[in-house]
Amino acid sequence: MDAQPAPASSVHSLPASHPPVPVFAAALAILSWASAYPVVRLALQVLPPIPLAAARYALAAVIALVWVGWTRPRLPRVQDLPRFVVCGAVGISLYNILFNLGEQTVSAGAASLLISFSPLIAALLAVGVMGERLSVWGWVGSLVSFCGVVVVAQGQPGGLTFGSGAADVLGAAFSAAVYNAVQKKLVAVYGALATTAYVLIIGAVLLTPWLPQAVQSLQTAPVTGWILVVQLAVFPAILGYGAWAHVVGRIGVARSSGFIYLLSPATLLLAFLITAEVPSLRMLVGGAIILAGVGLMNTLGRVRPPAVQQKTPEV
């Protein structure tokens, strides 16, 4: 969904390659995604982890189906169906199963900081699978970020041991990294909104075995339980991705990627306002280390190919 460029000013004309940043859309996306962390913690008091994911994405899929029926985007080609299934299975189903399991013991703020390790995992996957290269600074950034992960994880129940909440959240971060790598080609062909809609629908279908348990739990749940599920379906899953597609379509992937660094601070603020969660000094120090390492890797860590035409970086 590309927005029309702003009209040129009579005094100063903005270059076509640098349109103004859609601040409202960027803020809506970041705040919608950030709200998921504390709201999931509250919803887990009403629903078990996997049924919560099933209920949330069943509603999101219904909204996505209505959007598909209304706008009639290009249907997936047969040869692209495996890639869509992988995205739905890994980016929606597995990610949310691991994330919800992890948030049973990991605080919302710590979870957001551990998930922020995902871009670095994606870069390492690109090195191992796609033959990309990292500079010395890239490997230094990787090591710095991992040290931050250890600092944050050791402050959570169970530390970083197998089966702990922190390990589950890191598994979710790995799932997000795989999803981001696999869905890039789909976005290039179908667009961000259509790709997201199809992936949401597939992920919801894969979670349907747990939907009856979710319905059963919601039948005896207070009204607040229903409100939390609706919030998780509408804001992070629908509005968040929709607003982000507008941002990327307006200013491009490279310029928009910087906003992702605001996700963890926004989560820490919303977690304090919604659940009165106060981050520990260990969490803040570890989070700063993680973000510093990821920032170092994204700025100085990539080895640029000696191409004549520079490519737009991707996240």
Side-chain angles (χ1 to χ4, degrees), residues 25-262:
L28 178 61
I30 295 300
L31 291 176
S32 295
W33 288 338
S35 70
Y37 293 86
V39 173
V40 164
R41 292 274 290 179
L42 293 175
L44 286 171
Q45 300 174 15
V46 179
L47 287 169
I50 304 180
L52 172 59
R56 170 187 177 182
Y57 281 94
L59 179 55
V62 170
I63 299 173
L65 280 169
V66 171
W67 180 85
V68 169
W70 179 265
T71 61
R72 298 187 180 277
R74 178 180 180 181
L75 294 176
R77 300 175 300 186
V78 174
Q79 60 266 36
D80 290 330
L81 287 178
R83 189 178 290 268
F84 273 109
V85 171
V86 169
C87 286
V90 176
I92 300 298
S93 301
L94 182 59
Y95 173 88
N96 282 277
I97 289 172
L98 292 172
F99 181 81
N100 289 359
L101 288 172
E103 277 226 50
Q104 291 181 110
T105 56
V106 175
S107 67
S112 72
L113 293 169
L114 293 174
I115 290 293
S116 68
F117 191 57
S118 178
L120 195 142
I121 297 175
L124 296 179
L125 286 174
V127 171
V129 178
M130 292 178 280
E132 293 189 13
R133 296 169 57 200
L134 290 179
S135 68
V136 173
W137 285 114
W139 292 110
V140 170
S142 302
L143 180 60
V144 168
S145 251
F146 183 74
C147 291
V149 167
V150 173
V151 171
V152 172
Q154 289 302 322
Q156 303 302 308
L160 199 53
T161 57
F162 181 78
S164 67
D168 288 334
V169 174
L170 282 177
F174 182 85
S175 300
V178 173
Y179 165 71
N180 287 329
V182 175
Q183 60 91 32
K184 284 182 181 179
K185 290 185 178 179
L186 297 176
V187 172
V189 175
Y190 300 94
L193 288 179
T195 299
T196 301
Y198 293 139
V199 169
L200 286 175
I201 294 167
I202 293 171
V205 170
L206 295 175
L207 287 168
T208 50
W210 293 274
L211 191 56
Q213 185 180 352
V215 173
Q216 184 178 3
S217 298
L218 284 171
Q219 286 175 345
T220 58
V223 176
T224 53
W226 289 85
I227 294 174
L228 292 172
V229 171
V230 170
Q231 193 278 342
L232 287 171
V234 173
F235 284 91
I238 299 297
L239 291 183
Y241 280 106
W244 189 249
H246 175 77
V247 173
V248 173
R250 184 66 181 267
I251 65 175
V253 175
R255 291 180 66 199
S256 61
S257 61
F259 286 105
I260 299 299
Y261 290 100
L262 298 175

